[in-house]
Amino acid sequence: MSYRALRFEADAAQAEAWSDALLDLGALSIDLSDPNVGTPQETPQYGEPGMPGEPLWPTVRISALFAAASDGDAAPLSDALADTATTLHFPLPLFEIAPVAERDWVRETQAQFGPIAVTADFWIVPTWSTPPAAARYVLRLDPGLAFGTGSHPTTQLCLRWLREHVRPSDTVLDYGCGSGILLLAARLLGANTSAAFGTDIDPQALIASRENAVANHLDATFVVPDQLPERTFDLVIANILANPLRALAPLLAGRTAPGGRLILSGILEDQQEELCACYAPWFEIVPAQTLDGWILLSGVRKR
């Protein structure tokens, strides 16, 4: 199948209406971006454009992908765009319609995700890649819908901590497990098989985590929070974000055994002091580890 890309710029206030209308016209995908990318006027965003609380740029570049007509004629798409502008009561923007070259999208996507080093002997490796010769510990993980591929600084911080500190006797709880990467890493590194639990409120995360456990031949249980057993754990992991970590402090403390250890990530450096204060009533907090502006907090549960 061949494709055509329709591109134009519009005011931010019109972006949502244009997106909906283009999907109604049969667009296969819509991308909103900064028209000033690569220039001094570029304005980075750190959320998903268009989501609540995430402002768009004043002018938005809209790119829509369409399946090309068999005759290759772009006129019907041009006419449809003009009719849509009239219906929306928007001025017809200056636009371009360009063919999209045939490409092996699967191979190109895979090429973006190769093995990721945690330490010299610990690697996260997608199923289509060969582990490096030096890899003693290999966790097979493909990018998916759930958070956690091993590349993000918060995940890297947790993985490095686990490589250094996991003990064979450790029972483990991963609260907000995403792809299951941290719990599975703990299991791979030797954590106790009798109690290895991950939990998440996102059903897709639980599906992904279970599939990743099977793919790696690792025993671990992934459930929604209400299905967790009533017990404490030697090691509790929570790589989420600062706001939920604040709210979860009493719960995570209650899940950590006396003398047990807690690691927290998803925290920016300027949030460290506040998070330490939240957990200080229950934990002896050790100095934070940092990477690219993110930190990992760890502590021991007071007896």
Side-chain angles (χ1 to χ4, degrees):
M1 179 180 288
S2 57
Y3 301 91
R4 289 186 179 276
L6 168 66
R7 305 184 186 95
F8 60 91
E9 295 179 7
D11 291 338
Q14 301 175 354
E16 183 177 358
W18 270 120
S19 297
D20 291 342
L22 292 169
L23 289 172
D24 289 341
L25 287 178
L28 303 174
S29 67
I30 305 290
D31 177 68
L32 305 181
S33 61
D34 183 355
N36 295 311
V37 168
T39 74
Q41 290 74 43
E42 180 178 355
T43 306
Q45 287 190 351
Y46 297 100
E48 183 174 347
M51 293 297 289
E54 295 294 341
L56 288 168
W57 307 274
T59 301
V60 180
R61 184 167 181 80
I62 301 175
S63 300
L65 184 68
F66 290 86
S70 58
D71 60 5
D73 185 3
L77 184 54
S78 302
D79 294 342
L81 182 67
D83 292 342
T84 299
T86 300
T87 301
L88 294 174
H89 304 290
F90 294 160
L92 179 64
L94 294 174
F95 63 90
E96 63 173 347
I97 298 174
V100 177
E102 291 287 349
R103 296 157 73 178
D104 187 336
W105 296 105
V106 172
R107 187 177 297 276
E108 289 194 21
T109 299
Q110 291 179 348
Q112 297 178 42
F113 298 95
I116 298 170
V118 179
T119 62
D121 66 349
F122 181 19
W123 290 72
I124 311 300
V125 182
T127 54
W128 53 79
S129 295
T130 301
R136 176 184 175 191
Y137 299 99
V138 175
L139 190 62
R140 289 288 190 175
L141 197 75
D142 293 342
L145 297 179
F147 176 80
T149 62
S151 61
H152 195 275
T154 62
T155 312
Q156 277 279 317
L157 285 166
C158 293
L159 291 169
R160 293 176 188 178
W161 190 98
L162 292 170
R163 175 65 186 95
E164 183 176 352
H165 295 286
V166 164
R167 300 178 296 214
S169 61
D170 283 335
T171 56
V172 185
L173 170 63
D174 181 2
Y175 207 96
C177 61
S179 67
I181 184 173
L182 298 180
L183 180 60
L184 296 177
R187 283 286 296 107
L188 177 68
L189 296 167
N192 198 320
T193 61
S194 66
F197 284 86
T199 188
D200 207 294
I201 59 173
D202 180 1
Q204 181 60 50
L206 298 178
I207 293 170
S209 294
R210 291 166 186 152
E211 291 177 347
N212 288 331
V214 171
N216 285 278
H217 309 289
L218 294 169
D219 293 328
T221 303
F222 296 95
V223 295
V224 295
D226 290 346
Q227 294 177 346
L228 285 172
E230 292 296 331
R231 60 161 299 158
T232 58
F233 296 82
D234 302 314
L235 174 59
V236 175
I237 307 164
N239 178 21
I240 315 177
L241 287 171
N243 282 337
L245 288 177
R246 292 186 194 99
L248 287 169
L251 184 153
L252 296 179
R255 287 291 187 174
T256 310
R261 297 167 299 166
L262 172 76
I263 61 172
L264 307 173
S265 197
I267 306 164
L268 294 168
E269 289 188 65
D270 61 4
Q271 298 168 331
Q272 175 179 345
E273 184 175 346
E274 182 182 0
L275 265 294
C276 286
C278 286
Y279 284 83
W282 300 281
F283 294 90
E284 296 290 346
I285 304 296
V286 304
Q289 300 176 29
T290 64
L291 180 65
D292 295 342
W294 296 91
I295 67 170
L296 177 143
L297 292 177
S298 59
V300 176
R301 182 73 159 92
K302 297 174 183 178
R303 296 184 183 273

